[in-house]
Amino acid sequence: MAVWIDIINPSHALFFNSFLREFSDENYFITIRDRAETVSLIQSFGLKGITIGRDYRNGIKKSLSMVYRAIQLYRQVNHFNCAIGFENGMSVAVAKLRRRKSILFCD
């Protein structure tokens, strides 16, 4: 089973680092949004992922970048059976459009 994990901020990187220790035998891949220390945390954990999109402070840029990132994810991420996200609706939306399963963790 191919699992796609979309990580969009540093707290998600910490959460999924622990989670992925139990996933060592599974086929998974990671997408990362460039926000604060997210990319460097993923790299420091020895994980690899594709960086898609970034975060902006400006409200208009932030909104437009979210739409653009959703489109990029749909175009670039297509080989998965299940998407997993943490408080991140983009992975759910892409999975729904691709008619795949998704799991969304919330606190």
Side-chain angles (χ1 to χ4, degrees), residues 72-83:
Q72 286 181 300
L73 289 170
Y74 180 77
R75 292 178 70 193
Q76 294 182 36
V77 180
N78 55 16
H79 299 292
F80 67 95
N81 300 101
C82 183

Side-chain angles (χ1 to χ4, degrees), residues 53-98:
R54 59 177 285 210
D55 190 37
Y56 293 92
R57 291 180 186 246
N58 177 289
I60 294 171
K61 282 185 177 181
K62 185 179 204 82
S63 297
L64 291 173
S65 73
M66 289 175 62
V67 171
Y68 183 64
R69 184 171 191 269
I71 293 167
Q72 286 181 300
L73 289 170
Y74 180 77
R75 292 178 70 193
Q76 294 182 36
V77 180
N78 55 16
H79 299 292
F80 67 95
N81 300 101
C82 183
I84 301 177
F86 186 82
E87 297 178 342
N88 173 11
M90 282 189 199
S91 59
V92 174
V94 171
K96 182 82 170 166
L97 288 170
R98 294 214 173 269

Side-chain angles (χ1 to χ4, degrees), residues 41-57:
L41 273 172
I42 291 295
Q43 292 170 346
S44 74
F45 296 145
L47 301 171
K48 295 179 182 175
I50 301 166
T51 302
I52 300 176
R54 59 177 285 210
D55 190 37
Y56 293 92
R57 291 180 186 246

